Amino acid sequence: MPHVVSVPVLTIDGPSGSGKGTISALVAAHLGWHLLDSGALYRAVGYAAGVAGLDLSDVEAVTRCAEQTKIRFRAAAEADGTRVWVNGHDATDELRTETAGAAASAIASLPTVRQALVQLQLGFRKSPGLVADGRDMGTVIFPDAPFKVFLTASAAERAKRRYKQLKEKGLSVTLGGLQREIEARDSRDASRAVAPLKPAEDALLVDTTGMGIEDVVAKVLSVVQP
Ligand code: C5P
């Protein structure tokens, strides 16, 4: 039997606003590894369901939508980040909105929707390695990953970061409103029956409250390159 060396995976899980997206992209670029933004998959399905006018509580219809939606990631100029195409349409900007986040969170609580996205996520594990950003990367999708991190930050700090991001994009939001939305989404994600948001037992917990991006990147990289 040939010895199969499995492709290494670094899972980075945590709640929204913990800095996962930024940190995962920087760490993947540093390591020269592939990047899976699993939240974008749930956002894409929520978005496609919205475009199709589906009732998000219609489990069968939303599951079919998850099975059939064509999602493609395309690397763009660095400053622009990765662009996401949903059923042939560049939906990158729509996917970043709070509405898309709320729709993603709603459909992500359906076990059949999560199941429909498993193979797609496993397919990202390619040589030389993968950085997988999400909520259940270390617990459900890549439980055998050799490197696992769970990022957190206080809800107030996460709301502040999100507020700054959205303001820079010219969107009109309030800090209090954002913090309430973040807390509501956290509790929905943490209390759902399937793949609840929780750290894997073997994950390194990193609280990023008050930490700069560089320091978080260095801490996460130290897990892979001690
Ligand atoms: O990370 P992001 O904010 O893009 O994720 C959007 C939503 O998708 C989350 O609030 C969560 O409900 C869901 N999600 C999930 N499992 C993942 C990634 C995201 O349930 N692995």
Side-chain angles (χ1 to χ4, degrees), residues 186-209:
D186 278 0
S187 83
R188 216 173 25 238
D189 289 348
S191 64
R192 69 182 173 213
V194 56
L197 174 66
K198 66 163 197 272
E201 275 174 19
D202 49 349
L204 172 75
L205 254 77
V206 181
D207 185 343
T208 67
T209 308

mmCIF file of all heavy atoms in Angstrom, residues 186-209:
data_model
loop_
_atom_site.group_PDB
_atom_site.id
_atom_site.type_symbol
_atom_site.label_atom_id
_atom_site.label_comp_id
_atom_site.label_asym_id
_atom_site.label_seq_id
_atom_site.Cartn_x
_atom_site.Cartn_y
_atom_site.Cartn_z
ATOM 1 N N ASP A 186 -25.034 35.310 16.807
ATOM 2 C CA ASP A 186 -24.201 34.437 17.655
ATOM 3 C C ASP A 186 -25.051 33.412 18.380
ATOM 4 O O ASP A 186 -24.730 32.236 18.418
ATOM 5 C CB ASP A 186 -23.517 35.251 18.768
ATOM 6 C CG ASP A 186 -22.267 35.940 18.288
ATOM 7 O OD1 ASP A 186 -21.931 35.790 17.102
ATOM 8 O OD2 ASP A 186 -21.636 36.622 19.110
ATOM 9 N N SER A 187 -26.148 33.894 18.969
ATOM 10 C CA SER A 187 -26.909 32.966 19.796
ATOM 11 C C SER A 187 -27.624 31.954 18.907
ATOM 12 O O SER A 187 -27.736 30.782 19.272
ATOM 13 C CB SER A 187 -27.834 33.681 20.776
ATOM 14 O OG SER A 187 -29.013 34.035 20.149
ATOM 15 N N ARG A 188 -28.040 32.381 17.701
ATOM 16 C CA ARG A 188 -28.650 31.418 16.771
ATOM 17 C C ARG A 188 -27.604 30.380 16.330
ATOM 18 O O ARG A 188 -27.852 29.190 16.318
ATOM 19 C CB ARG A 188 -29.191 32.164 15.551
ATOM 20 C CG ARG A 188 -30.451 31.571 15.024
ATOM 21 C CD ARG A 188 -31.142 32.349 13.918
ATOM 22 N NE ARG A 188 -30.329 33.209 13.127
ATOM 23 C CZ ARG A 188 -30.526 34.525 12.987
ATOM 24 N NH1 ARG A 188 -31.500 35.117 13.625
ATOM 25 N NH2 ARG A 188 -29.751 35.245 12.203
ATOM 26 N N ASP A 189 -26.399 30.856 16.011
ATOM 27 C CA ASP A 189 -25.343 29.947 15.544
ATOM 28 C C ASP A 189 -24.883 28.990 16.646
ATOM 29 O O ASP A 189 -24.535 27.842 16.388
ATOM 30 C CB ASP A 189 -24.131 30.740 15.020
ATOM 31 C CG ASP A 189 -24.423 31.438 13.689
ATOM 32 O OD1 ASP A 189 -25.456 31.119 13.074
ATOM 33 O OD2 ASP A 189 -23.622 32.293 13.279
ATOM 34 N N ALA A 190 -24.861 29.498 17.891
ATOM 35 C CA ALA A 190 -24.345 28.669 18.994
ATOM 36 C C ALA A 190 -25.385 27.686 19.513
ATOM 37 O O ALA A 190 -25.042 26.635 20.057
ATOM 38 C CB ALA A 190 -23.867 29.561 20.140
ATOM 39 N N SER A 191 -26.680 28.012 19.333
ATOM 40 C CA SER A 191 -27.708 27.165 19.942
ATOM 41 C C SER A 191 -28.348 26.196 18.955
ATOM 42 O O SER A 191 -29.170 25.382 19.334
ATOM 43 C CB SER A 191 -28.795 28.044 20.576
ATOM 44 O OG SER A 191 -29.427 28.780 19.561
ATOM 45 N N ARG A 192 -27.970 26.281 17.660
ATOM 46 C CA ARG A 192 -28.629 25.393 16.701
ATOM 47 C C ARG A 192 -28.196 23.946 16.961
ATOM 48 O O ARG A 192 -27.089 23.686 17.458
ATOM 49 C CB ARG A 192 -28.328 25.808 15.263
ATOM 50 C CG ARG A 192 -26.908 25.588 14.868
ATOM 51 C CD ARG A 192 -26.655 26.065 13.449
ATOM 52 N NE ARG A 192 -25.244 25.985 13.163
ATOM 53 C CZ ARG A 192 -24.583 26.808 12.372
ATOM 54 N NH1 ARG A 192 -25.209 27.790 11.786
ATOM 55 N NH2 ARG A 192 -23.302 26.660 12.175
ATOM 56 N N ALA A 193 -29.108 23.038 16.592
ATOM 57 C CA ALA A 193 -28.888 21.622 16.902
ATOM 58 C C ALA A 193 -27.746 21.040 16.081
ATOM 59 O O ALA A 193 -26.993 20.187 16.549
ATOM 60 C CB ALA A 193 -30.165 20.841 16.637
ATOM 61 N N VAL A 194 -27.603 21.514 14.836
ATOM 62 C CA VAL A 194 -26.609 20.916 13.959
ATOM 63 C C VAL A 194 -25.417 21.857 13.795
ATOM 64 O O VAL A 194 -25.581 23.055 13.593
ATOM 65 C CB VAL A 194 -27.250 20.546 12.591
ATOM 66 C CG1 VAL A 194 -27.894 21.736 11.931
ATOM 67 C CG2 VAL A 194 -26.239 19.928 11.648
ATOM 68 N N ALA A 195 -24.211 21.297 13.966
ATOM 69 C CA ALA A 195 -22.963 22.058 13.830
ATOM 70 C C ALA A 195 -23.002 23.403 14.557
ATOM 71 O O ALA A 195 -22.773 24.449 13.955
ATOM 72 C CB ALA A 195 -22.625 22.262 12.350
ATOM 73 N N PRO A 196 -23.309 23.404 15.860
ATOM 74 C CA PRO A 196 -23.333 24.687 16.572
ATOM 75 C C PRO A 196 -21.939 25.308 16.637
ATOM 76 O O PRO A 196 -20.947 24.584 16.551
ATOM 77 C CB PRO A 196 -23.820 24.312 17.979
ATOM 78 C CG PRO A 196 -23.492 22.879 18.140
ATOM 79 C CD PRO A 196 -23.557 22.268 16.757
ATOM 80 N N LEU A 197 -21.907 26.635 16.766
ATOM 81 C CA LEU A 197 -20.612 27.325 16.843
ATOM 82 C C LEU A 197 -19.966 27.028 18.191
ATOM 83 O O LEU A 197 -20.425 27.485 19.226
ATOM 84 C CB LEU A 197 -20.838 28.834 16.699
ATOM 85 C CG LEU A 197 -19.605 29.708 16.889
ATOM 86 C CD1 LEU A 197 -18.594 29.459 15.783
ATOM 87 C CD2 LEU A 197 -19.981 31.174 16.939
ATOM 88 N N LYS A 198 -18.923 26.236 18.171
ATOM 89 C CA LYS A 198 -18.172 25.964 19.399
ATOM 90 C C LYS A 198 -16.754 25.529 19.009
ATOM 91 O O LYS A 198 -16.545 24.949 17.940
ATOM 92 C CB LYS A 198 -18.878 24.901 20.247
ATOM 93 C CG LYS A 198 -18.939 23.532 19.618
ATOM 94 C CD LYS A 198 -19.252 22.499 20.682
ATOM 95 C CE LYS A 198 -18.946 21.124 20.260
ATOM 96 N NZ LYS A 198 -19.658 20.211 19.616
ATOM 97 N N PRO A 199 -15.785 25.824 19.883
ATOM 98 C CA PRO A 199 -14.411 25.448 19.525
ATOM 99 C C PRO A 199 -14.224 23.940 19.522
ATOM 100 O O PRO A 199 -14.831 23.238 20.344
ATOM 101 C CB PRO A 199 -13.564 26.066 20.641
ATOM 102 C CG PRO A 199 -14.468 26.860 21.498
ATOM 103 C CD PRO A 199 -15.884 26.508 21.178
ATOM 104 N N ALA A 200 -13.400 23.428 18.593
ATOM 105 C CA ALA A 200 -13.024 22.011 18.643
ATOM 106 C C ALA A 200 -12.188 21.824 19.912
ATOM 107 O O ALA A 200 -11.527 22.757 20.366
ATOM 108 C CB ALA A 200 -12.184 21.666 17.409
ATOM 109 N N GLU A 201 -12.244 20.634 20.484
ATOM 110 C CA GLU A 201 -11.511 20.388 21.738
ATOM 111 C C GLU A 201 -10.014 20.625 21.592
ATOM 112 O O GLU A 201 -9.342 21.013 22.538
ATOM 113 C CB GLU A 201 -11.743 18.948 22.199
ATOM 114 C CG GLU A 201 -13.012 18.813 23.003
ATOM 115 C CD GLU A 201 -13.322 17.370 23.341
ATOM 116 O OE1 GLU A 201 -12.407 16.541 23.281
ATOM 117 O OE2 GLU A 201 -14.498 17.112 23.656
ATOM 118 N N ASP A 202 -9.509 20.355 20.373
ATOM 119 C CA ASP A 202 -8.072 20.505 20.154
ATOM 120 C C ASP A 202 -7.699 21.824 19.480
ATOM 121 O O ASP A 202 -6.611 21.947 18.921
ATOM 122 C CB ASP A 202 -7.532 19.311 19.350
ATOM 123 C CG ASP A 202 -8.373 19.003 18.110
ATOM 124 O OD1 ASP A 202 -9.473 19.569 17.982
ATOM 125 O OD2 ASP A 202 -7.921 18.205 17.275
ATOM 126 N N ALA A 203 -8.611 22.818 19.550
ATOM 127 C CA ALA A 203 -8.298 24.111 18.921
ATOM 128 C C ALA A 203 -7.606 25.049 19.905
ATOM 129 O O ALA A 203 -7.888 25.013 21.108
ATOM 130 C CB ALA A 203 -9.584 24.767 18.413
ATOM 131 N N LEU A 204 -6.721 25.893 19.379
ATOM 132 C CA LEU A 204 -6.110 26.934 20.203
ATOM 133 C C LEU A 204 -7.073 28.119 20.231
ATOM 134 O O LEU A 204 -7.476 28.625 19.177
ATOM 135 C CB LEU A 204 -4.776 27.387 19.586
ATOM 136 C CG LEU A 204 -4.134 28.602 20.264
ATOM 137 C CD1 LEU A 204 -3.510 28.200 21.605
ATOM 138 C CD2 LEU A 204 -3.086 29.254 19.366
ATOM 139 N N LEU A 205 -7.477 28.555 21.422
ATOM 140 C CA LEU A 205 -8.392 29.687 21.551
ATOM 141 C C LEU A 205 -7.615 30.997 21.547
ATOM 142 O O LEU A 205 -6.692 31.153 22.346
ATOM 143 C CB LEU A 205 -9.157 29.577 22.874
ATOM 144 C CG LEU A 205 -10.609 29.155 22.749
ATOM 145 C CD1 LEU A 205 -10.708 27.674 22.487
ATOM 146 C CD2 LEU A 205 -11.360 29.534 23.996
ATOM 147 N N VAL A 206 -7.993 31.916 20.656
ATOM 148 C CA VAL A 206 -7.313 33.205 20.618
ATOM 149 C C VAL A 206 -8.365 34.313 20.735
ATOM 150 O O VAL A 206 -9.233 34.441 19.878
ATOM 151 C CB VAL A 206 -6.523 33.391 19.290
ATOM 152 C CG1 VAL A 206 -5.806 34.735 19.278
ATOM 153 C CG2 VAL A 206 -5.531 32.255 19.084
ATOM 154 N N ASP A 207 -8.301 35.095 21.823
ATOM 155 C CA ASP A 207 -9.207 36.232 21.991
ATOM 156 C C ASP A 207 -8.528 37.454 21.381
ATOM 157 O O ASP A 207 -7.500 37.908 21.883
ATOM 158 C CB ASP A 207 -9.501 36.457 23.479
ATOM 159 C CG ASP A 207 -10.534 37.553 23.694
ATOM 160 O OD1 ASP A 207 -10.774 38.350 22.749
ATOM 161 O OD2 ASP A 207 -11.114 37.616 24.794
ATOM 162 N N THR A 208 -9.106 37.963 20.291
ATOM 163 C CA THR A 208 -8.436 39.029 19.542
ATOM 164 C C THR A 208 -8.835 40.435 20.009
ATOM 165 O O THR A 208 -8.420 41.420 19.401
ATOM 166 C CB THR A 208 -8.733 38.903 18.023
ATOM 167 O OG1 THR A 208 -10.134 39.175 17.804
ATOM 168 C CG2 THR A 208 -8.408 37.521 17.503
ATOM 169 N N THR A 209 -9.641 40.515 21.094
ATOM 170 C CA THR A 209 -10.044 41.830 21.603
ATOM 171 C C THR A 209 -8.787 42.639 21.927
ATOM 172 O O THR A 209 -7.944 42.167 22.689
ATOM 173 C CB THR A 209 -10.914 41.694 22.878
ATOM 174 O OG1 THR A 209 -11.974 40.788 22.615
ATOM 175 C CG2 THR A 209 -11.481 43.040 23.315
#
